[in-house]
């Protein structure tokens, strides 16, 4: 029977690389549409409502998929779903790249929302399947660094390739990575039966899982704070590249804008890498999350006042990305410590569902707010308010007498 891997040599390193790639794919899929949207609008002529649908189609469908998949993944095993999700995403992303009008692009994003959650709801649960207990928190920290790498590449490559080559190319590249992920995941051992849920998956199963995962006071606050964080991130980022191209840095070249976003996303790398070290400076790790939320709320409020200033935008965006990825690492890493092995897939799925819901709300709000005010002030104000709300809830978790254990 397959056992947890003893370390990071050989197969252990390969396993970490596969899980890192899986989390990279999830985040790149979300982030790539943000910089590609202005070029899709240019080539196809999307209206504001169609642009909102392009951003929202994936998270809306993924919400339902995540909630449905969680208990099934816990019952059948994480490996099967990473492989199936990788193959399905590769096919759908390639088909989306061949689309020439709004409807098939929106449909392609929606169908991706059926397959990508198979990967997303399995990643952090799979860490416990293959990594020894004493190394899981360290590996979780490693895996979460895939998010800033994904955002860095998606934002910069999206602008460069979308503006200078073709907006379809990032979708094709992601399809190839998904295919490689499926091949790599197929080499993993099957999930140990002792880490799987038993019994049939029924309506009662969903009811019990959803209720049990929201009864703890800390979890009840962590889940809505994660939703607000996701909504804030996409409300700000959703049309930020469009604003940069059309207004913020309109007098500068696509290359300059792409470089600005690239430099800014480097801040996200530092946020993920330094999250566990910086959390030691606080009595409760989520105190750092709350502080970061308030800090980046202040940053996004000043972004619209840096029109025409590439260095200002790069610095502000770097500060935003630093706080964004620091918060992601701490919240995701801590959440997996709240439940037993047989429930991690369900909790992972709920967190993904909250992220997708927040992203859907943020995507639609981003497009509508930008249509309301092209100076980006409305987007910044709403994103800042959501971040402040997230920070307030995270701060309240630190006051609970039996706090959630966050150790990454």
């Amino acid at each position: 029977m397959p056992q947890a891997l003893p370390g990071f040599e050989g197969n252990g390193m390969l396993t970490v690389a596969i899980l890192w790639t899986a989390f990279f794919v999830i985040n790149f899929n979300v982030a790539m549409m943000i910089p590609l949207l202005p070029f899709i609008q240019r080539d196809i002529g999307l209206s504001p409502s169609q642009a909102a649908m392009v951003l929202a189609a994936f998270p809306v469908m993924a919400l339902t998929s995540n909630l449905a998949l969680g208990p099934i993944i816990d019952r059948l095993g994480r490996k099967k779903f990473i492989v199936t999700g990788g193959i399905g995403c590769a096919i759908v992303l390639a088909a989306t790249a061949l689309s020439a009008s709004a409807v098939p692009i929106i449909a392609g994003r929606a169908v991706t929302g059926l397959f990508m959650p198979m990967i997303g709801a399995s990643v952090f649960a799979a860490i416990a399947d293959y990594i020894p207990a004493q190394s899981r928190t360290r590996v979780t920290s490693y895996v979460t660094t895939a998010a800033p790498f994904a955002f860095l590449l998606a934002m910069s490559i999206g602008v460069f390739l979308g503006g200078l080559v073709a907006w379809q190319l990032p979708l094709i590249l992601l399809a190839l990575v998904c295919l490689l992920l499926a091949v790599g995941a197929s080499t993993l051992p099957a999930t140990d039966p002792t880490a799987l849920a038993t019994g049939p998956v029924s309506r009662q199963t969903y009811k019990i899982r959803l209720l049990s995962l929201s009864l703890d006071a800390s979890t009840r606050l962590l889940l809505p704070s994660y939703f607000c964080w996701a909504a804030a991130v996409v409300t700000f980022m959703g049309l930020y590249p469009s604003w940069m191209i059309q207004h913020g840095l309109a007098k500068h070249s696509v290359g300059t804008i792409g470089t600005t976003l690239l430099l800014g996303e480097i801040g996200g790398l530092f946020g993920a890498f330094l999250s566990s070290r910086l959390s030691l400076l606080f009595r409760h790790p989520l105190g750092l999350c709350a502080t970061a939320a308030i800090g980046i709320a202040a940053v996004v409020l000043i972004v619209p006042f840096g029109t025409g200033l590439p260095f200002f935008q790069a610095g502000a965006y770097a500060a935003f990305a630093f706080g964004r990825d620091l918060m992601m690492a701490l919240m995701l890493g801590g959440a997996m410590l709240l439940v037993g092995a047989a429930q991690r897939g369900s909790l992972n799925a709920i967190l993904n569902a909250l992220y997708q819901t927040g992203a859907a709300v943020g995507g639609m709000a981003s497009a509508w707010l930008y249509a309301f005010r092209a100076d980006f002030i409305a987007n910044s104000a709403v994103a800042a308010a959501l971040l402040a709300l997230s920070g307030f809830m995270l701060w309240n978790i630190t006051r609970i007498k039996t706090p959630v254990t966050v150790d990454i």
Side-chain angles (χ1 to χ4, degrees):
M1 194 67 60
Q3 300 296 321
L5 296 171
F8 301 105
E9 300 80 16
N11 290 338
M13 286 293 294
L14 177 61
T15 298
V16 174
I18 291 169
L19 297 177
W20 189 96
T21 303
F23 198 53
F24 173 89
V25 162
I26 297 162
N27 286 277
F28 191 92
N29 172 70
V30 173
M32 71 175 177
M33 296 309 296
I34 294 171
L36 293 183
L37 190 59
F39 305 113
I40 297 174
Q41 288 177 303
R42 180 194 64 190
D43 290 352
I44 296 178
L46 299 179
S47 67
S49 61
Q50 289 174 326
M53 291 178 68
V54 169
L55 288 177
F58 169 79
V60 166
M61 185 62 71
L63 165 63
T64 303
S65 185
N66 271 300
L67 292 177
L69 285 170
I72 302 174
I73 291 173
D74 284 335
R75 180 68 180 83
L76 300 179
R78 273 64 79 165
K79 170 187 172 179
K80 295 176 183 178
F81 286 89
I82 295 177
V83 173
T84 303
I87 294 172
C89 286
I91 295 171
V92 177
L93 286 165
T96 304
L98 299 176
S99 303
S101 62
V103 173
I105 292 176
I106 294 169
R109 295 304 295 159
V111 177
T112 304
L114 295 176
F115 290 103
M116 193 64 72
M118 295 182 184
I119 304 171
S122 302
V123 174
F124 290 95
I127 289 176
D129 291 344
Y130 301 115
I131 302 300
Q134 68 271 19
S135 302
R136 286 174 192 162
T137 54
R138 190 154 46 108
V139 171
T140 298
S141 181
Y142 295 158
V143 172
T144 57
T145 62
F149 272 105
F151 276 100
L152 186 152
L153 291 177
M155 297 297 284
S156 55
I157 288 178
V159 171
F160 284 122
L161 295 184
L164 301 177
V165 186
W167 61 264
Q168 294 91 343
L169 194 53
L171 278 79
I172 295 172
L173 292 175
L174 182 58
L176 292 174
V177 175
C178 286
L179 190 58
L180 290 175
L181 170 64
V183 173
S186 68
T187 67
L188 294 173
T191 304
D192 191 322
T194 61
L196 297 177
T198 57
V201 177
S202 63
R203 196 166 105 182
Q204 187 69 7
T205 305
Y206 286 97
K207 181 179 178 180
I208 292 173
R209 290 292 175 88
L210 292 175
L211 287 176
S212 65
L213 292 174
S214 61
L215 288 177
D216 179 80
S218 297
T219 310
R220 283 201 306 269
L221 287 171
L222 183 64
L223 295 180
S225 68
Y226 190 66
F227 167 83
C228 289
W229 167 84
V233 166
V234 182
T235 297
F236 175 75
M237 289 181 58
L239 270 295
Y240 179 65
S242 294
W243 174 74
M244 291 266 280
I245 292 168
Q246 297 168 5
H247 301 285
L249 297 179
K251 295 182 180 180
H252 297 269
S253 67
V254 168
T256 298
I257 295 171
T259 302
T260 299
L261 294 172
L262 174 64
L263 293 174
E265 280 295 340
I266 292 175
L269 295 177
F270 284 101
F273 280 121
L274 297 177
S275 58
S276 58
R277 187 180 298 272
L278 292 177
S279 68
L280 298 177
L281 302 176
F282 289 74
R283 179 183 62 83
H284 191 296
L286 290 183
L288 173 59
C289 270
T291 303
I294 300 303
I296 59 178
V299 169
V300 300
L301 282 174
I302 66 173
V303 163
F305 302 100
T307 300
L309 303 174
F311 288 106
F312 178 92
Q313 292 299 328
Y317 189 70
F320 166 81
F322 180 92
R324 176 197 69 201
D325 293 318
L326 179 146
M327 292 181 69
M328 175 186 284
L330 289 176
M331 287 191 284
L332 284 177
M336 289 300 106
L337 303 178
L338 295 176
V339 298
Q343 287 187 313
R344 290 191 182 106
S346 295
L347 180 56
N348 203 162
I350 289 175
L351 288 169
N352 281 352
L354 288 170
Y355 181 85
Q356 307 303 351
T357 307
V361 171
M364 290 184 287
S366 183
W368 293 334
L369 290 168
Y370 186 58
F372 174 65
R373 289 200 61 148
D375 57 9
F376 212 66
I377 288 177
N379 291 69
S380 294
V382 172
L386 289 168
L387 285 166
L389 181 58
S390 178
F392 176 75
M393 287 185 281
L394 291 168
W395 177 72
N396 276 310
I397 295 176
T398 68
R399 302 175 64 195
I400 296 174
K401 290 184 179 180
T402 307
V404 58
T405 300
V406 180
D407 177 21
I408 69 168

